[in-house]
Amino acid sequence: MNQEDRKNQNKSFRPAGGRVLLQSVLKHIPRRGDGVMEGAALGLDAAIFQNGEITELQAVGVQPSSRFPEEYPLTAGEAAWITAENQLATKGIIEEASFAAQILLVAGISCPESRIRREMQRLTQFSVRRGCRIVGGNTVFFQEGEDCLVQVVLTGRSSGETYRPEQESKLRMQPGDRVYFFGEVGCLGADLLVKRNREMLQKRFADSYIDTMEYDASDFSVKEKAAAALSAGAVFLHDVSNGGVHAALYQLAEAAGCGIRVRHEGLTVRQSVVELSEFLNINPYQLLGTGGLLAVVPAETADEFERRIPTGFHWAYAGELTKEKARLVTAESFHMERYLNLPEGDALEEV
């Protein structure tokens, strides 16, 4: 098999582009019904069910194994698991012991058996460390390719003390509400790119500078950020993942039914990650940003929210929701007006 064939096979699985998502019939499936309080959609991270006195929330994380080289600290399944955890954390569900997990692996027919075994072995170990049960799953083969798409479905429970269903209404978000960004732009994507391409980067950057482009695995979780934002008075949270912070901002506006005006300066990004992105000719704001979090806060309580955020968190005022439906990014230090659309994939796929 030549290099071009391998390249095409590794593109067997990829996220749907923005235009597909916006036109998808999935947008029009009713998200409420008997026992279903809210379904997952653009900007709504978890589906919410009422089961007697218990509120159950379900979230999904998905990653292709081709993104995660064997020497990388995380497998695709572990990264997908963290994504699902992050989505539950946006609703205040952070206790892993209340989770139940289902695993679905969709593999190309040329996918090595060792890759599937590694994913499941690592996920089993991961679940034990999390104190969470894997309750089921399935493995299927699909078309040509060597890739394996790993989907993790997590279900968490709340007695109603940590999660209140009335928080989920669009009425909780309105024009004028402020949007805050926790974390840094493109952290998981940057870390992956550095560990996959360090030898190439050494031709341009010193090792000590390359080190500043890397992140710790703990940076990819939003559980502590979400708990801090909710306790400080946020009324809605949305995590950053595929498509980067620009995709997450668009999705947040979609969930709110509003427009959004974003401060470019409010999207915190490391200078070394900017230079990494320039070197690789990608947009860092559309780079896999697992670990980033957006919080919506009413304008009248924003000052109190900022005072109540504990020290030790990277956060910034990122913008506000608007009555006009436009999704606009502007800059204060230079002239820029950029309208946001859902990215056609993630900048990681361009490298």
Side-chain angles (χ1 to χ4, degrees), residues 233-293:
V235 296
F236 190 86
L237 303 179
H238 182 47
D239 73 305
V240 181
S241 186
N242 285 309
V245 69
H246 277 181
L249 287 161
Y250 188 101
Q251 293 163 357
L252 175 63
E254 181 81 10
C258 302
I260 192 169
R261 188 177 183 91
V262 181
R263 296 174 58 251
H264 178 72
E265 291 81 1
L267 304 179
T268 309
V269 59
R270 293 184 186 181
Q271 179 58 33
S272 58
V273 172
V274 172
E275 294 186 37
L276 168 70
S277 301
E278 290 175 349
F279 179 67
L280 297 174
N281 194 30
I282 59 173
N283 184 344
Y285 301 94
Q286 295 179 2
L287 181 62
L288 182 63
T290 304
L293 181 71

Side-chain angles (χ1 to χ4, degrees), residues 182 224-225 309-315:
F182 286 73
E224 291 184 359
K225 305 180 188 87
I309 293 296
T311 58
F313 290 97
H314 291 287
W315 63 271

Side-chain angles (χ1 to χ4, degrees), residues 17 37 46 56 61 89 92 114 156 172 180 186 259 304 329 339 348 351:
M37 302 174 64
E56 295 184 337
S114 59
R172 299 285 292 179
Y180 292 83
E304 181 183 0
V329 181
Y339 288 89
L348 197 63
V351 182

Side-chain angles (χ1 to χ4, degrees), residues 100-337:
Q102 297 183 68
I103 312 299
L104 174 64
L105 285 79
V106 183
I109 59 175
S110 301
C111 180
E113 182 181 348
S114 59
R115 180 173 297 177
I116 297 174
R117 287 182 177 275
R118 178 172 179 266
E119 288 289 352
M120 282 311 305
Q121 288 172 351
R122 290 282 294 270
L123 276 172
T124 301
Q125 297 165 1
F126 196 78
S127 70
V128 171
R129 294 198 300 272
R130 288 295 204 266
C132 172
R133 295 165 298 138
I134 295 179
V135 298
N138 194 15
T139 302
V140 297
F141 290 94
F142 180 76
Q143 69 178 29
E144 295 292 334
E146 299 178 0
D147 208 349
C148 180
L149 190 72
V150 187
Q151 175 177 288
V152 177
V153 182
L154 288 184
T155 302
R157 288 188 171 186
S158 169
S159 62
E161 295 179 1
T162 56
Y163 174 79
R164 296 187 301 278
E166 65 270 14
Q167 291 178 338
E168 216 43 50
S169 170
K170 280 187 179 181
L171 297 177
R172 299 285 292 179
M173 293 187 283
Q174 58 187 348
D177 286 354
R178 292 192 177 184
V179 179
Y180 292 83
F181 176 55
F182 286 73
E184 296 181 345
V185 166
C187 51
L188 179 52
D191 194 65
L192 276 165
L193 288 172
V194 169
K195 288 182 170 63
R196 280 177 11 189
N197 301 283
R198 190 176 189 100
E199 186 175 336
M200 178 179 66
L201 295 173
Q202 287 171 331
K203 298 176 182 179
R204 170 71 68 88
F205 305 105
D207 278 322
S208 58
Y209 195 63
I210 296 174
D211 290 342
T212 68
M213 305 172 186
E214 297 184 314
Y215 286 82
D216 295 327
S218 60
D219 294 324
F220 308 139
S221 171
V222 305
K223 290 188 290 184
E224 291 184 359
K225 305 180 188 87
L230 288 172
S231 64
V235 296
F236 190 86
L237 303 179
H238 182 47
D239 73 305
V240 181
S241 186
N242 285 309
V245 69
H246 277 181
L249 287 161
Y250 188 101
Q251 293 163 357
L252 175 63
E254 181 81 10
C258 302
I260 192 169
R261 188 177 183 91
V262 181
R263 296 174 58 251
H264 178 72
E265 291 81 1
L267 304 179
T268 309
V269 59
R270 293 184 186 181
Q271 179 58 33
S272 58
V273 172
V274 172
E275 294 186 37
L276 168 70
S277 301
E278 290 175 349
F279 179 67
L280 297 174
N281 194 30
I282 59 173
N283 184 344
Y285 301 94
Q286 295 179 2
L287 181 62
L288 182 63
T290 304
L293 181 71
L294 298 172
V296 177
V297 180
E300 60 271 18
T301 61
D303 291 342
E304 181 183 0
F305 173 83
E306 293 181 9
R307 286 194 299 269
R308 293 177 63 184
I309 293 296
T311 58
F313 290 97
H314 291 287
W315 63 271
Y317 165 56
E320 64 180 31
L321 299 178
T322 62
K323 186 175 181 180
E324 297 78 19
K325 295 294 185 179
R327 283 86 175 188
L328 182 65
V329 181
T330 63
E332 297 173 351
S333 55
F334 59 96
H335 177 72
M336 182 184 75
E337 285 193 352

Side-chain angles (χ1 to χ4, degrees), residues 60-63 78-88 239 241 290:
V60 181
V62 181
Q63 288 291 346
E78 290 168 331
W81 188 302
I82 291 170
T83 300
E85 277 186 347
N86 286 348
Q87 292 172 353
L88 291 181
D239 73 305
S241 186
T290 304

